[in-house]
Amino acid sequence: DQQVKQNSPSLSVQEGRISILNCDYTNSMFDYFLWYKKYPAEGPTFLISISSIKDKNEDGRFTVFLNKSAKHLSLHIVPSQPGDSAVYFCAAAGGSQGNLIFGKGTKLSVKP
Amino acid sequence: DTGVSQNPRHKITKRGQNVTFRCDPISEHNRLYWYRQTLGQGPEFLTYFQNEAQLEKSRLLSDRFSAERPKGSFSTLEIQRTEQGDSAMYLCASSATRPDTQYFGPGTRLTVL
């Protein structure tokens, strides 16, 4: 049973436009959420995180929104750039040990 | 801050052989995690260390897998009697506290022939 779901395997966006990546979770014990970006044959690179006590966090072109009642979070990238093309993973943590539960990822393609 | 490093980056082995991977975390991080990633999936948690103590193991970690973190610094992950199903990317991550961001290494790609 998948606790973190990314229902869109892929997303294609024009350069300069907004990219919106979505993530749903089922476990209400999750209290910390992260987005990672991954290129082939490399480890995930941390992008941005949000605690469950907040509903928005911004870092430059990246903004994460958290809707706890809907158990939904989203990552907005504005403006999108071709270098943003990668697989994006949503991850959630809860409990004392803090191991992350990942979604299956969304492959973002930003076209020039 | 030199980041998390993993060695080797690639390992090709024959079924039935033993393999060992090494992870060097960010120096001030006391938490260390191992994950495994297969094609089309997100990373899946294997095990977790706080300092030298192994505090959590996933049911994915069969008895052929063992992990150590002597002296709370680097960690090793050993797979005995490898099987073709063990072929995957093995990722190591470290963090300072809970909750805190986990920083990942580049991974070790294991191919079992």
Side-chain angles (χ1 to χ4, degrees):
Chain A
D1 181 28
Q2 257 194 301
Q3 298 186 69
V4 177
K5 297 179 184 179
Q6 294 178 257
N7 291 320
S8 298
S10 63
L11 175 67
S12 184
V13 170
Q14 205 68 29
E15 181 179 6
R17 306 293 293 268
I18 185 172
S19 295
I20 300 177
L21 297 101
N22 293 303
C23 178
D24 297 294
Y25 62 96
T26 57
N27 191 337
S28 56
M29 296 299 291
F30 290 146
D31 59 1
Y32 191 61
F33 304 89
L34 308 91
W35 285 94
Y36 287 86
K37 173 181 177 181
K38 189 177 185 301
Y39 295 114
E42 294 184 10
T45 300
F46 169 71
L47 279 177
I48 192 168
S49 62
I50 188 166
S51 164
S52 59
I53 62 173
K54 295 185 176 181
D55 54 19
K56 178 182 173 181
N57 189 26
E58 274 184 87
D59 185 1
R61 297 187 297 115
F62 302 93
T63 303
V64 56
F65 295 91
L66 176 62
N67 182 333
K68 288 187 290 294
S69 60
K71 293 190 175 69
H72 177 84
L73 65 156
S74 60
L75 174 67
H76 293 210
I77 306 174
V78 182
S80 301
Q81 299 173 354
D84 296 328
S85 297
V87 178
Y88 288 76
F89 289 97
C90 168
S96 60
Q97 65 271 20
N99 57 286
L100 299 177
I101 309 296
F102 283 83
K104 291 188 175 184
T106 297
K107 183 175 183 179
L108 174 66
S109 299
V110 181
K111 301 189 183 306
Chain B
D1 178 3
T2 57
V4 179
S5 62
Q6 291 187 247
N7 288 289
R9 293 292 309 274
H10 304 276
K11 179 70 176 179
I12 300 174
T13 191
K14 293 183 179 178
R15 186 165 52 93
Q17 298 294 304
N18 298 345
V19 294
T20 300
F21 310 140
R22 175 176 170 131
C23 170
D24 287 89
I26 293 171
S27 58
E28 64 268 25
H29 286 181
N30 61 349
R31 293 172 173 250
L32 187 147
Y33 303 82
W34 285 98
Y35 294 83
R36 180 174 70 184
Q37 185 177 20
T38 54
L39 198 62
Q41 303 294 318
E44 296 175 290
F45 169 72
L46 292 178
T47 191
Y48 153 65
F49 289 85
Q50 182 163 332
N51 299 311
E52 67 276 8
Q54 187 174 18
L55 297 184
E56 183 76 14
K57 288 194 281 188
S58 161
R59 56 183 159 78
L60 292 176
L61 212 68
S62 78
D63 55 5
R64 295 185 298 105
F65 288 69
S66 62
E68 295 183 339
R69 192 183 182 197
K71 301 178 183 178
S73 55
F74 70 92
S75 176
T76 59
L77 178 68
E78 180 183 17
I79 310 174
Q80 296 183 329
R81 305 180 305 281
T82 52
E83 301 173 356
Q84 287 184 326
D86 297 331
S87 295
M89 173 78 88
Y90 289 84
L91 295 162
C92 176
S94 70
S95 71
T97 60
R98 160 77 183 109
D100 197 14
T101 300
Q102 291 183 25
Y103 294 92
F104 283 80
T108 295
R109 166 71 64 188
L110 172 66
T111 302
V112 181
L113 301 176

